[in-house]
Amino acid sequence: MKKASLLISLLLSVLCLLAQTSKKDSLIYKSPKSGLYQEIQRETKPLNIVPAKKHMALDLTGKDLPMDTTRYQRVWNNNPVCQGESGTCWCFAATSFLEAESFRINGQKIKLSEMFFVYHEYLERALQFVESRGDITFDEGSEASSVPLLLKKYGAMPLSAYQGKPIKNKYHHHREMIAEMKTFLTNIKETQNWNPNLVLQTITSIMDHYMQAMPATFDYRGKTYTAKSFAEEVVKLRPDDYFNFMSNMEQTQNQRTELIEDDNWRHFDEYYNVPLNEFFNVLTNALQNGYTACICGDISEPGFDREQGIGMIPNWDIPSNAIDENARQYRLTNKTTTDDHCMHIVGVTWHNGSYWFLTKDSNASAFDAPVKGFRFIHEDYIRLKMMNIQVHKLAARPVLDKIIK
């Protein structure tokens, strides 16, 4: 009798799951709503009201979505912070990741300055612009892989030491600053005036105007530090311990290679290119074993609902069982998957037969969602649309052991 009851319960569970997975998703058109980003824009200039265009979206009505954060196996992280009117998600995500790592390893709850890394990144990129004779793009975007490199070379600062914006501003505003720097560098290229000292001095002057000058020393909890000594004595992370992974079929797999993407202006070539299942296993292994992960990819899909904080792939786009390396590569090759946003994954849960990931997001639209500053992302979205992952090397040990002999 007990066996019969068990079989009936199992059958009902399977039928329920099949009903959920076979149900057709619906397409709707939504009008964008005014939110935090418009508030941010109004801080520095009057906002011109432009009639909002409707956009295609996945209809989430009636869906059973795991939006209760207590259901997730979570790792400590600082509260979400908005990146304002700046294209620096790569730094906000990676900085949040390093904060979580400092707590995991050292028990230190530190709020680091994102703009410390951004400041040095722009200087390095401007110098590379000179050295390459203008053969790289100069813009706000970069990769999460840059931040451990900057930590190793320059150190770090707490947010209390360097805000990276005028005191009167609540948010970061980089549009005018970037435009000014790009105009200057365009002139450098046109006049062939490849003077590195002039370029670094001018870029520094522009940033000091918009972001404020960076202090040489600062006090933190009763002690004076430089950026280097703060990184060594307080943050206490080993930048070389952070590994990056990607998954594509175009480049040789199971070896390190370059992420081919404009934002990878350094041509950083230490991304482990692994099969899709291994790529996904890196992420799940990390979250299930007390680590977090920084992840970058494409958020332009109809199933990435900014207002609801949900990331899913509608089955009218592609059925879940058809998402594989081929489908992923097709989108990479035709450029419908691009590396346009980085986030910090801090939790995982199992819901209706799939993994869901609790994801901390610095984008302004994330603060319009029901759980401010967080997204809930389905595993299909990770497999199909996320391009690269950064984790501590121990979190990726099962995958690395197959590659590094």
Side-chain angles (χ1 to χ4, degrees), residues 159-338:
L159 184 63
S160 58
Y162 186 63
Q163 297 276 337
K165 59 182 176 62
I167 295 174
K168 65 182 178 66
N169 286 351
K170 183 178 180 180
Y171 301 104
H172 299 287
H173 299 274
H174 287 188
R175 299 292 184 256
E176 290 182 11
M177 178 182 74
I178 291 296
E180 192 171 325
M181 290 195 285
K182 290 171 77 170
T183 298
F184 167 71
L185 291 173
T186 297
N187 179 259
I188 289 292
K189 187 173 183 177
E190 289 173 348
T191 60
Q192 296 291 293
N193 185 14
W194 303 112
N195 183 331
N197 291 329
L198 169 65
V199 168
L200 290 178
Q201 288 171 6
T202 304
I203 294 297
T204 297
S205 176
I206 293 171
M207 287 195 294
D208 286 352
H209 172 72
Y210 288 97
M211 295 175 63
Q212 306 297 292
M214 196 178 294
T217 62
F218 55 89
D219 292 336
Y220 183 77
R221 296 178 183 174
K223 186 175 178 179
T224 301
Y225 295 93
T226 63
K228 289 288 285 185
S229 66
F230 181 75
E232 292 165 2
E233 298 173 27
V234 182
V235 181
K236 294 190 287 189
L237 296 178
R238 294 163 54 97
D240 292 341
D241 285 347
Y242 296 96
F243 285 21
N244 299 275
F245 295 83
M246 63 182 186
S247 180
N248 68 65
M249 299 171 70
E250 187 174 359
Q251 295 165 281
T252 304
Q253 292 189 335
N254 293 323
Q255 70 177 32
R256 286 184 295 183
T257 188
E258 180 182 341
L259 171 69
I260 308 299
E261 181 70 30
D262 284 347
D263 284 345
N264 185 21
W265 61 268
R266 282 188 175 84
H267 300 291
F268 186 64
D269 60 359
E270 295 188 19
Y271 286 82
Y272 285 92
N273 186 34
V274 297
L276 179 55
N277 284 341
E278 299 286 23
F279 177 80
F280 187 71
N281 289 343
V282 168
L283 183 60
T284 54
N285 185 72
L287 272 295
Q288 290 174 336
N289 287 281
Y291 299 86
T292 65
C294 192
I295 194 160
C296 304
D298 195 304
I299 61 168
S300 63
E301 294 296 306
F304 197 91
D305 193 301
R306 288 165 169 76
E307 294 169 9
Q308 295 301 314
I310 295 295
M312 300 177 66
I313 300 297
N315 55 27
W316 42 257
D317 178 354
I318 180 173
S320 180
N321 60 9
I323 295 175
D324 60 10
E325 289 187 295
N326 302 290
R328 177 183 174 87
Q329 186 60 48
Y330 176 66
R331 287 157 175 77
L332 289 168
T333 300
N334 68 17
K335 302 298 183 183
T336 54
T337 292
T338 58

Side-chain angles (χ1 to χ4, degrees), residues 29 53 78 105 160-161 175 191 234 288 391 394 399:
Y29 280 87
K53 293 183 178 180
N78 271 319
I105 295 170
S160 58
R175 299 292 184 256
T191 60
V234 182
Q288 290 174 336
V391 296
L394 294 181
V399 173

Side-chain angles (χ1 to χ4, degrees), residues 379-391:
E379 66 171 81
D380 285 350
Y381 203 98
I382 303 289
R383 292 179 183 274
L384 192 65
K385 302 298 292 184
M386 292 291 108
M387 288 183 65
N388 57 84
I389 298 171
Q390 182 178 87
V391 296

Side-chain angles (χ1 to χ4, degrees), residues 29-46:
Y29 280 87
K30 297 175 66 174
S31 296
K33 296 179 181 178
S34 180
L36 179 59
Y37 189 67
Q38 286 68 38
E39 177 187 322
I40 293 168
Q41 290 179 303
R42 283 192 289 268
E43 186 174 59
T44 58
K45 56 185 176 293

Side-chain angles (χ1 to χ4, degrees), residues 32-95:
K33 296 179 181 178
S34 180
L36 179 59
Y37 189 67
Q38 286 68 38
E39 177 187 322
I40 293 168
Q41 290 179 303
R42 283 192 289 268
E43 186 174 59
T44 58
K45 56 185 176 293
L47 190 61
N48 293 324
I49 304 299
V50 179
K53 293 183 178 180
K54 289 186 176 183
H55 61 273
M56 189 184 346
L58 167 64
D59 186 0
L60 297 174
T61 305
K63 286 193 174 293
D64 179 15
L65 303 170
M67 298 179 66
D68 179 356
T69 60
T70 64
R71 294 182 55 183
Y72 286 77
Q73 180 181 333
R74 293 186 64 173
V75 182
W76 180 87
N77 58 274
N78 271 319
N79 291 330
V81 179
C82 180
Q83 68 194 62
E85 196 178 17
S86 76
T88 56
C89 59
W90 55 273
C91 188
F92 277 79
T95 299

